[in-house]
Amino acid sequence: MPGIADLAAPARGSREVHSTTLARLHPCPCLPRLREVGTFQPDFFIFGTNSLCAFALNLAVFLLVGKTSALTMNVAGVVKDWLLIAFSWSVIRDTVTPINLFGYGIAFLGVGYYNHVKLQALKAKEAQKKAAQADEEAGSLLQERDSHAGDRSKSDNQN
């Protein structure tokens, strides 16, 4: 499977223009203007809105990773892939083979297990926090009781 670098670099001896390479890597802003190979007229409105969308996406990813973790971002990516696959199967009528379904099932089990472990860890953390608060309250009550008992014994000794 070719990577981004393979897609970006034209093959040796190829006369592929840079606008076609751009269309491979970022097709959305290039679709309206790349009707004929070799004619490329940039539309700054489309490029600008695409840039704003890319910035918003990067900001959302940054905030999501900051609030959760990189692993959560990967799990969200798996869910996004499921939605894309469901869309391609239902709307575009793309074929889904049994081996594809098996792979989707394994991914589904992995995401379910991840969510289960994360939920258990969250519950354990909350229980630990409640126990610490209860210990702190009990300690302050005992300290209060001891200080009142000490005051009583001093007043009894003085009488």
Side-chain angles (χ1 to χ4, degrees):
M1 178 148 188
I4 293 280
D6 297 328
L7 291 175
R12 288 187 186 173
S14 171
R15 294 186 179 200
E16 186 174 352
V17 293
H18 292 288
S19 60
T20 306
T21 302
L22 181 64
R24 280 185 176 178
L25 295 176
H26 302 286
C28 292
C30 298
L31 288 177
R33 299 291 180 191
L34 281 180
R35 305 224 171 162
E36 301 173 33
V37 175
T39 62
F40 180 73
Q41 297 172 348
D43 187 346
F44 293 108
F45 176 74
I46 292 176
F47 279 112
T49 55
N50 188 35
S51 298
L52 287 175
C53 288
F55 176 76
L57 176 66
N58 286 331
L59 183 63
V61 168
F62 174 75
L63 293 174
L64 179 67
V65 170
K67 295 285 181 187
T68 58
S69 69
L71 183 59
T72 302
M73 187 62 196
N74 285 337
V75 170
V78 170
V79 173
K80 178 199 67 142
D81 291 343
W82 291 343
L83 294 172
L84 287 172
I85 290 164
F87 173 78
S88 68
W89 177 74
S90 64
V91 176
I92 302 173
R93 299 289 180 208
D94 199 8
T95 57
V96 178
T97 64
I99 194 81
N100 294 130
L101 291 175
F102 179 73
Y104 303 150
I106 289 175
F108 183 77
L109 290 174
V111 169
Y113 180 71
Y114 169 76
N115 286 329
H116 172 72
V117 169
K118 189 121 177 163
L119 183 63
Q120 295 300 324
L122 186 64
K123 285 181 180 179
K125 194 174 188 179
E126 283 183 24
Q128 188 178 22
K129 190 183 279 187
K130 285 183 181 179
Q133 285 177 348
D135 288 346
E136 188 176 304
E137 286 179 22
S140 66
L141 288 174
L142 286 174
Q143 189 177 20
E144 231 178 84
R145 186 188 72 179
D146 291 343
S147 69
H148 286 302
D151 291 343
R152 280 187 204 147
S153 66
K154 285 182 186 177
S155 65
D156 289 343
N157 289 340
Q158 289 176 356
N159 290 334

